[in-house]
Amino acid sequence: MMKIEVTDTPSEGELAAISEGLTAFNTTDVGPSGRQSLAVLIRDDAGKPIGGISGYTAWGWLFTQWLFVPESLRGQGMAGKLLEAAEAEASARGCFGAWIDTFNPQALKAYQRQGYAIFGELPDFPAGRSRFFLKKTLSPR
């Protein structure tokens, strides 16, 4: 008998069952993703990571999951430099596109300055703002 359970504390094994099942299904359906992590780090003088990009490449696309620039480095084009580095690595991996999402108005403008175009909007996420989804064409190497 099947049972549905809701939890806010899934174990690593429980999450792995979902991940492995979906990965196997997608591989059969559309082929292997070739998923590979990608990070671009900002380090301080002591070598400590203080910001950067975390994401991955899969199926020919770069997804930037997180991008953080410390307050002291904002307004200096750092987000653009991080994106350029991630995009160059993604292109070297054969990617033809990149996507990112944000609900921060300043980040939205920064991504658009880097050539990203809006392809979707989710209003009131969070309340009073919109979450924008953006994409950019890359040239694979």
Side-chain angles (χ1 to χ4, degrees):
M1 178 151 181
M2 294 293 141
K3 176 182 165 188
I4 295 177
E5 173 188 349
V6 176
T7 180
D8 62 351
T9 57
S11 71
E12 290 295 320
E14 291 163 334
L15 293 175
I18 298 166
S19 174
E20 291 167 9
L22 182 59
T23 297
F25 173 83
N26 286 340
T27 298
T28 300
D29 188 40
V30 297
S33 70
R35 183 176 172 143
Q36 193 175 357
S37 294
L38 191 153
V40 180
L41 304 173
I42 304 170
R43 294 186 184 272
D44 66 13
D45 292 337
K48 176 185 170 194
I50 58 170
I53 285 177
S54 173
Y56 60 85
T57 56
W59 287 300
W61 283 83
L62 163 65
F63 172 55
T64 299
Q65 184 174 14
W66 297 329
L67 189 157
F68 175 71
V69 175
E71 186 71 38
S72 63
L73 297 175
R74 292 181 190 161
Q76 301 173 36
M78 184 59 72
K81 292 173 187 173
L82 293 169
L83 287 167
E84 286 174 9
E87 291 163 9
E89 176 60 23
S91 290
R93 293 180 184 186
C95 290
F96 52 83
W99 71 283
I100 192 167
D101 65 87
T102 186
F103 53 76
N104 180 287
Q106 291 78 26
L108 175 62
K109 290 176 188 172
Y111 302 153
Q112 289 174 312
R113 281 193 300 270
Q114 289 303 120
Y116 285 76
I118 296 170
F119 70 89
E121 178 182 356
L122 182 60
D124 286 322
F125 188 91
R129 290 207 184 167
S130 285
R131 184 172 214 138
F132 291 97
F133 298 84
L134 301 99
K135 67 179 180 175
K136 180 178 181 177
T137 300
L138 302 179
S139 299
R141 291 189 230 158

